[in-house]
Amino acid sequence: MAPMAATLTVGFDLDMTLIDSRPGIHACYVALAERTGTFIDADLAVTRLGPPLVEELINWFPAEQVPAMADMYREMYPAIAIAATPAMDGAREAVDAVRAAGGRTMVVTAKYEPNAKLHLAHLGIEPDVVVGDLWAEQKARALREHGAGVYVGDHVGDVRGARAAGAFSVAVATGPCPAGELHAAGADVVLADLSGFPAWLSGYREAPGAALRD
């Protein structure tokens, strides 16, 4: 991995990394099913969060209907999902640890960017940059643009994005991908959750070339 930049910039994924989006997304899928009369297994859908919305909707709607269904879902989302979604354990502390170290934070997510910003504002989490609508290796564009040396996420797609950007990949086993899968995808370190991030960051800042691995 490349050495840490002069200004520490850390990127975070959103769903299942900074926020537990399952309750809100579940409620939104239930509402979409009721509105369209189409069966959606919301319980199943929330076990595989991470990829873009359209990749889930294709399981329930004909391909030609998916763009319209995605627009409907996104329009319904603020009123249904924002208030129902809590922060993950350690999320605020992780972002604050970067700021306390004199660094910058960014959120890079596959979620529709306006809704991502609503979640963060509702929870009082204030990254310096928010970039939405990017998934897996696409995330590398934003990470490179803003000079992120570390990217934190819960999905193997986040690991791929970090590696494509040449950033240190910190994975948290709080989403659909277990620790072993994150390791196998190439994560540099896997934490149980974000509560361990401040201590990890302290070690990384002291010795970026020998950052903690497990």
Side-chain angles (χ1 to χ4, degrees):
M1 292 293 165
M4 186 169 61
T7 299
L8 172 67
T9 300
V10 177
F12 293 89
D13 177 48
L14 185 64
D15 288 10
M16 303 312 299
T17 299
L18 290 177
I19 65 172
D20 184 351
S21 52
R22 291 172 296 185
I25 289 176
H26 188 283
C28 206
Y29 278 132
V30 169
L32 183 64
E34 291 174 350
R35 184 164 170 179
T36 62
T38 299
F39 173 73
I40 299 172
D41 188 339
D43 291 337
L44 176 60
V46 297
T47 68
R48 50 193 186 196
L49 300 180
L53 171 64
V54 295
E55 293 191 20
E56 183 60 43
L57 292 179
I58 197 66
N59 295 305
W60 313 108
F61 296 95
E64 66 273 14
Q65 294 182 17
V66 165
M69 294 302 100
D71 288 344
M72 185 182 298
Y73 175 99
R74 289 167 178 151
E75 290 168 4
M76 298 166 62
Y77 192 94
I80 295 172
I82 301 301
T85 299
M88 296 292 283
D89 289 344
R92 294 181 179 86
E93 293 81 359
V95 173
D96 289 346
V98 178
R99 188 163 292 121
R104 300 174 69 249
T105 57
M106 62 184 303
V107 168
V108 187
T109 174
K111 188 178 288 297
Y112 181 54
E113 187 173 305
N115 287 341
K117 290 179 175 178
L118 288 175
H119 275 299
L120 293 163
H122 176 74
L123 294 171
I125 298 173
E126 300 179 349
D128 297 289
V129 178
V130 179
V131 181
D133 305 292
L134 296 177
W135 163 240
E137 289 84 355
Q138 297 171 350
K139 295 185 176 189
R141 290 205 310 269
L143 295 171
R144 287 194 299 263
E145 179 183 351
H146 294 278
V150 176
Y151 185 59
V152 186
D154 66 283
H155 199 283
V156 294
D158 299 321
V159 177
R160 300 202 307 269
R163 296 186 69 83
F168 200 94
S169 173
V170 177
V172 286
T174 50
C177 301
E181 189 174 344
L182 295 165
H183 275 297
D188 292 294
V189 63
V190 178
L191 305 175
D193 57 41
L194 282 177
S195 64
F197 180 80
W200 175 85
L201 181 65
S202 178
Y204 176 74
R205 292 179 61 231
E206 292 173 5
L212 299 176
R213 298 170 186 262
D214 57 358

